[in-house]
């Protein structure tokens, strides 16, 4: 919200993705997909933001793991670092492509980033996934851990990553 207000729509969405990935790539993805659905000309900038957020998520995971388990960090550096690097490169390519397209139509309409309805909906989904994930892990052991990792990763990687690292 602040990035698009300060920097402008085209550059702001790319920055939004990168900064948003520090907090939640899932929230950035939902927000960008919703905006692109409402305004198709935002599909390319939205894809740029989503790729930036996902790339930042991989980098964020590496930082967290490096602080908690340096040995595990070394095992994850190549795969997670590679995914972050590839995502940033693709995000830059899409950003460059989006900059060559002249903006048409009205600017992006900004909504209050503190709206409760989307936050509550995401919170309910998040709580449900965490509950199911924990139940699978508790009742199914290691197999449940793998299944819960897949499920929990659909909403947030941090909770399951911290659980596994510990």
């Amino acid at each position: 919200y602040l990035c698009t207000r300060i920097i402008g729509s085209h550059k702001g969405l790319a920055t939004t993705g990168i900064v948003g990935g520090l907090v939640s790539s899932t929230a950035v993805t939902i927000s960008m997909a919703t905006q692109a659905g409402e305004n198709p000309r935002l599909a390319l900038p939205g894809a740029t933001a989503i790729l930036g957020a996902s790339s930042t998520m991989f980098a964020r995971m590496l930082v967290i793991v490096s602080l908690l388990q340096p040995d595990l960090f070394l095992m994850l550096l190549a795969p997670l670092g590679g995914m972050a690097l590839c995502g940033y490169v693709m995000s830059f390519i899409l950003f460059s492509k989006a900059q060559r397209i002249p903006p048409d139509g009205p600017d992006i309409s900004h909504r209050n980033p503190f709206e409760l309805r989307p936050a509550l909906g995401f919170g309910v989904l998040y709580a449900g996934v965490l509950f199911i994930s924990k139940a699978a892990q508790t009742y199914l052991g290691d197999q449940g851990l793998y299944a819960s990792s897949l499920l929990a990763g659909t909403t947030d990687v941090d909770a399951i990553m911290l659980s596994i690292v510990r």
Side-chain angles (χ1 to χ4, degrees):
Y1 175 80
L2 289 176
C3 292
T4 56
R5 288 295 241 183
I6 294 169
I7 300 172
S9 300
H10 288 333
K11 291 182 177 120
L13 284 180
T15 308
T16 296
I18 292 169
V19 173
L22 291 172
V23 179
S24 174
S25 59
T26 305
V28 171
T29 300
I30 291 169
S31 175
M32 293 297 106
T34 301
Q35 287 194 34
E38 294 170 359
N39 186 350
R41 73 180 184 90
L42 295 178
L44 190 56
T48 303
I50 291 168
L51 274 172
S54 297
S55 302
T56 299
M57 175 207 45
F58 293 126
R60 184 186 77 225
M61 289 172 65
L62 279 173
V63 169
I64 292 169
V65 169
S66 74
L67 295 172
L68 298 175
Q69 287 291 334
D71 293 338
L72 187 56
F73 167 78
L74 294 174
M75 285 187 266
L76 295 174
L77 181 59
L80 290 180
M83 287 187 281
L85 182 62
C86 288
Y88 283 133
V89 167
M90 289 306 301
S91 184
F92 178 76
I93 290 169
L94 288 180
F95 177 76
S96 298
K97 186 177 178 181
Q99 294 305 302
R100 290 191 297 267
I101 299 171
D104 61 341
D107 205 8
I108 295 171
S109 62
H110 296 285
R111 287 179 262 184
N112 182 350
F114 301 107
E115 289 178 1
L116 279 179
R117 186 180 188 116
L120 289 175
F122 185 74
V124 168
L125 174 66
Y126 181 69
V129 168
L130 286 180
F131 176 79
I132 293 169
S133 297
K134 186 62 177 175
Q137 186 177 353
T138 300
Y139 295 111
L140 302 174
D142 285 345
Q143 298 303 323
L145 178 64
Y146 299 133
S148 68
S149 295
L150 289 171
L151 182 60
T154 63
T155 58
D156 179 48
V157 296
D158 293 322
I160 196 70
M161 179 188 58
L162 289 171
S163 173
I164 291 172
V165 168
R166 288 185 186 150

